C-alpha cells in the first residue's frame, strides 16, 4: 500500500530545551502496557499507544484515536435502511491511526485518516501532561520547513525530476540563461520555453487568448534511471538550485525521493507498507519510516 512519509523537526519554544525522543522514552517507561498509555485528547476522543518499537535507530509509537461507545452507521445493501451499530464488546471503532518514529528532535510520520502538525503536536502534549511532566515539555511545535542550507544539500545529492508551471518556467529559463556556466545545457529548455510562448502570442484573437488562459501547462524535466550514471541527477540538481531560487512554482523530486515544493518546502517521501485501505501495519510502518529517516539524515536534513 502506498503512503507518504512526512518529515518534521521539533522547535522548542521554552527557554529549557529538551530532546523529544528522550521524553517519549521516559513517558513510555511509566506505561508498562497499552492500557496505561490511554489519555483524553478531546472530550469525545480518547487515544492510546497501541504499539511501540524502541530501537537505537529511532523510537516508534502508534497513536490510535477512538471515541468510546460511538456507533457506526451501516446501509442496507439493496435497501433504504440506514442502521446504527455499536462496536463489539471490549472494542471501539478506530477513527485515526498515526505512526511516528522519533529520533532526537526529528519526527517521521504517516497516517491512516487525516492528521496535521497541530494534531500530532497536541497528541504529544496530552500524553506528557497525562504523565505529569513539567509544562516546559509541552512548549514546542513541529516545523515542516528545512532551511536553505539543508535544501541545497538535498539537491547536491542529485535530483530525479523538476516540475514547473508555464509562467515560472519561462521566468526561470530567462534568469538562469544569464549564467554562462549553465548556457550550454539550458539551450534546449530555452527552445521549449520559446515554443510555448509563441503558442500564445498577441496576434491571437481575444477569444483565442481567453481560451489559452484556461489551459494549464506544466513542464516536467527528469530521467527514468535506466542508465547507471551520476551525471544526469547531478545536472538536474544544478538546475534545481536555480529553480528553487527563482521560480514561483515548482515540484522537485530528489534522488532520495524527497519532494520539495515552493509553498512549504516540505520534505516527504512516497513509501510502500503492509496493510490495506482500512489500517496500516504499524510494524511495517516503523521499518519504512526508519529507512526514510536514515535517507534524510544522510542527505543532511538533520543538520542544524
Amino acid at each position: 500500500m502506498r503512503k507518504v512519509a512526512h518529515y518534521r523537526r521539533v522547535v522548542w519554544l521554552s527557554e529549557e530545551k529538551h530532546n523529544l525522543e528522550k521524553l517519549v522514552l521516559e513517558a513510555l517507561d511509566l506505561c508498562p502496557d497499552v492500557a496505561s498509555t490511554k489519555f483524553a485528547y478531546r472530550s469525545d476522543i480518547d487515544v492510546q499507544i497501541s504499539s511501540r518499537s524502541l530501537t537505537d535507530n529511532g523510537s516508534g509509537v502508534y497513536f490510535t484515536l477512538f471515541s468510546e461507545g460511538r456507533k457506526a452507521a451501516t446501509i442496507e445493501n439493496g435497501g433504504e435502511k440506514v442502521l446504527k451499530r455499536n462496536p463489539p464488546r471490549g472494542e471501539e471503532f478506530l477513527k485515526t491511526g498515526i505512526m511516528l518514529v522519533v529520533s532526537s528532535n526529528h519526527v517521521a510520520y504517516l497516517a491512516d485518516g487525516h492528521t496535521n502538525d497541530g494534531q500530532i503536536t497536541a497528541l504529544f502534549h496530552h500524553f506528557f501532561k497525562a504523565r505529569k511532566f513539567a509544562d516546559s515539555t509541552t512548549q514546542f511545535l513541529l516545523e515542516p520547513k528545512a532551511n536553505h542550507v539543508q535544501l541545497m544539500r538535498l539537491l547536491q545529492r542529485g535530483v530525479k525530476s523538476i516540475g514547473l508551471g508555464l509562467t515560472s518556467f519561462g521566468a526561470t529559463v530567462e534568469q538562469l540563461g544569464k549564467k554562462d556556466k549553465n548556457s550550454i545545457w539550458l539551450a534546449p529548455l530555452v527552445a521549449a520555453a520559446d515554443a510555448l510562448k509563441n503558442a500564445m502570442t498577441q496576434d491571437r484573437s481575444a477569444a483565442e487568448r481567453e481560451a489559452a488562459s484556461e489551459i494549464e501547462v506544466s513542464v516536467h524535466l527528469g530521467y527514468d534511471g535506466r542508465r547507471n550514471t551520476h551525471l544526469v541527477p547531478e545536472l538536474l540538481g544544478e538546475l534545481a538550485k536555480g529553480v528553487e531560487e527563482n521560480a514561483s512554482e515548482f515540484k522537485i523530486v530528489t534522488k532520495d525521493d524527497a519532494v520539495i515544493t515552493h509553498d512549504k518546502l516540505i520534505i516527504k517521501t512516497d513509501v510502500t507498507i503492509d496493510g490495506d485501505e482500512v489500517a496500516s501495519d504499524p510494524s511495517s510502518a516503523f521499518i519504512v519510516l526508519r529507512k526514510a529517516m536514515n535517507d534524510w539524515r544522510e542527505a543532511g536534513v538533520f543538520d542544524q
Side-chain angles (χ1 to χ4, degrees):
M1 182 175 57
R2 299 293 288 176
K3 285 285 187 179
V4 179
H6 297 267
Y7 167 78
R8 297 291 187 270
R9 70 169 61 241
V10 180
V11 178
W12 291 97
L13 305 177
S14 59
E15 292 184 4
E16 184 179 354
K17 308 303 179 184
H18 296 279
N19 180 306
L20 181 62
E21 184 179 13
K22 289 183 178 179
L23 291 172
V24 169
L25 292 174
E26 289 177 16
L28 290 175
D29 281 342
L30 301 174
C31 305
D33 53 28
V34 173
S36 58
T37 65
K38 184 178 175 182
F39 60 92
Y41 173 64
R42 286 191 339 215
S43 60
D44 59 337
I45 297 180
D46 288 313
V47 182
Q48 64 186 28
I49 296 176
S50 297
S51 180
R52 63 185 81 181
S53 175
L54 311 180
T55 73
D56 293 335
N57 196 23
S59 302
V61 293
Y62 178 26
F63 285 116
T64 47
L65 287 67
F66 57 93
S67 296
E68 280 199 13
R70 183 166 183 171
K71 298 178 180 180
T74 62
I75 179 69
E76 182 183 11
N77 189 353
E80 63 181 12
K81 292 183 179 178
V82 175
L83 306 172
K84 297 178 182 179
R85 177 171 298 176
N86 289 318
R89 183 177 297 275
E91 299 178 14
E92 303 293 348
F93 292 120
L94 179 67
K95 294 179 66 69
T96 306
I98 305 171
M99 284 135 278
L100 309 99
V101 169
V102 185
S103 178
S104 184
N105 279 318
H106 306 276
V107 178
Y109 77 86
L110 57 83
D112 294 324
H114 175 74
T115 190
N116 54 49
D117 295 348
Q119 183 179 59
I120 295 173
T121 304
L123 289 173
F124 282 120
H125 287 180
H126 286 75
F127 181 49
F128 294 151
K129 281 186 174 294
R131 307 282 83 78
K132 309 299 183 183
F133 281 20
D135 288 342
S136 64
T137 63
T138 64
Q139 304 305 306
F140 70 87
L141 54 81
L142 298 180
E143 173 61 69
K145 186 183 295 185
N147 64 38
H148 190 72
V149 172
Q150 292 159 350
L151 289 175
M152 290 303 103
R153 287 177 178 173
L154 280 173
L155 299 182
Q156 287 169 359
R157 286 172 61 86
V159 168
K160 283 185 177 179
S161 66
I162 306 171
L164 292 156
L166 173 62
T167 303
S168 64
F169 180 72
T172 301
V173 169
E174 181 180 348
Q175 294 178 35
L176 291 180
K178 297 176 182 177
K179 301 179 181 179
D180 293 337
K181 67 176 182 178
N182 294 329
S183 59
I184 296 177
W185 52 277
L186 276 173
L189 309 185
V190 176
D194 289 342
L196 291 168
K197 291 176 183 177
N198 291 338
M200 298 181 184
T201 56
Q202 290 301 312
D203 60 357
R204 298 285 189 181
S205 68
E208 286 175 326
R209 289 198 300 272
E210 183 179 355
S213 67
E214 301 278 330
I215 300 173
E216 293 185 3
V217 181
S218 64
V219 176
H220 181 87
L221 310 172
Y223 76 108
D224 58 14
R226 285 182 295 180
R227 298 191 63 186
N228 185 20
T229 175
H230 65 280
L231 292 178
V232 175
E234 283 184 3
L235 288 174
L236 282 173
E238 288 297 318
L239 175 59
K241 293 178 187 177
V243 170
E244 191 274 328
E245 292 173 355
N246 299 301
S248 60
E249 177 186 352
F250 61 83
K251 178 181 179 181
I252 299 171
V253 180
T254 72
K255 192 176 69 173
D256 302 301
D257 290 319
V259 179
I260 302 170
T261 62
H262 183 272
D263 291 340
K264 292 185 177 180
L265 298 178
I266 287 176
I267 295 174
K268 58 185 179 180
T269 301
D270 289 333
V271 296
T272 301
I273 64 173
D274 297 334
D276 54 31
E277 66 277 4
V278 176
S280 303
D281 176 68
S283 297
S284 176
F286 293 148
I287 291 172
V288 299
L289 287 173
R290 288 194 175 99
K291 170 66 166 57
M293 294 278 267
N294 285 336
D295 291 342
W296 294 330
R297 181 185 294 108
E298 291 178 3
V301 174
F302 284 19
D303 297 340
Q304 297 290 342

